[in-house]
Amino acid sequence: MDNLVKVHGDGGGYDSDFSDDDRQGESSEQRLKRKHEVEILQKPFQKGRYSQAAHRSFHSSEFDREEARNRRAHIISLNAFERHKKFVGDYILYYGGHMVDFRRTTANDKTDHDVLRENHRFLWRDEDEEDMTWEKELAKKYYDKLFKEYCIADLSRYKENKFGFRWRTEKEVVSGKGQFQCGNKHCEKEEGLKSWEVNFAYVEQGEKRNALVKLRLCPECSFKLNYHHKRKEVKVKSKRFSDENQETSQKRKNRKRRKRSAHSKKPKHTKQREQSSSSSSSEESQDKDSEAEEGAEGQSEADHWRGPAPAVEERSREEEFDEYFEDLFL
């Protein structure tokens, strides 16, 4: 029992290697000496045993610097409009006010489509190109991109004799709308198309104007176009008929010139005799012409059954292309 008391002390407690009971009885001199020994034994690269708290001013300055760095990065990442909204919101937050006072009015805002509708011209003249603004230049640039050969028509109010016409866009030209398809806005038929020539009267910028336009329509849409009065139809004229008509007209002119020259050379007494006999000769010539026409018709009908058809002259590629494009651009 005495041995236990010696080991564990007089108080009956338990001893421990990790307890600091031995240091509680140290004096101030012993503490300073021990601290001095610790400082001597501390290595230069070794950190302190306990971390020291920074000063309050140093902590606040570092915090402000980091906060300013984050705020600057956030502002730089915004675009101009969002940055403006943030500054306005901060102003209202700090100084008071309402967001309605800072809202921009959208009453005068215009899109490109609105500018085109205000400054568009169906046909641009030299007078319209004077005093060009950026709105007019935009409308003129759009006008230059349109194809002005055939029109697209709006016939929804044909009973009121009111029609709307506009030029074709590139997409409509590629698809054949208005040339190989019906030119009506709400029709896509491709059979029985006819070409019409219309005098389009319209009011533009407070001024009355006229324009002669062409469009191709199906039979039903052609009826709507000609509901009140007949328009001029454009028909195809082939080269052969035009050349034959020119030749016949030239022959007639030459005959008339020969007759006039012959009448001028004859004497007076022969002229009197010819006047008396002109009536009888005119009647005989009319009879002969009618008989010749009947004989030619009979021969032409009989010639169909006598032998093979006459050979057709071969045309060059340029002539074929010319005839093809003539049919297209009517």
Side-chain angles (χ1 to χ4, degrees), residues 250-260:
Q250 288 179 357
K251 288 179 181 179
R252 287 175 184 175
K253 289 179 182 179
N254 293 331
R255 288 177 184 174
K256 288 180 181 179
R257 288 175 183 174
R258 289 173 185 173
K259 287 181 181 179
R260 288 176 185 174

Side-chain angles (χ1 to χ4, degrees), residues 262-263 266 269-279 281:
H263 282 296
K266 288 181 180 179
H269 61 276
T270 54
K271 288 183 180 179
Q272 293 176 357
R273 292 178 183 176
E274 286 179 356
Q275 287 177 359
S276 59
S277 60
S278 61
S279 59
S281 62

Side-chain angles (χ1 to χ4, degrees), residues 152-153 155 166 171-172 175-193 216-221 224:
I152 302 296
L155 308 177
R166 64 172 178 82
K171 187 177 180 180
E172 291 171 338
S175 64
K177 180 67 176 175
Q179 184 175 2
F180 303 108
Q181 293 180 3
C182 181
N184 188 4
K185 184 180 177 181
H186 305 290
C187 182
E188 295 182 356
K189 294 184 179 179
E190 299 181 359
E191 297 180 356
L193 300 180
R216 288 174 62 80
L217 300 174
C218 64
E220 294 179 2
C221 297
K224 294 179 182 179

Side-chain angles (χ1 to χ4, degrees), residues 50-63:
Y50 301 103
S51 61
Q52 297 178 356
H55 197 268
R56 184 180 296 175
S57 61
F58 177 77
H59 179 268
S60 61
S61 63
E62 286 295 323
F63 179 79

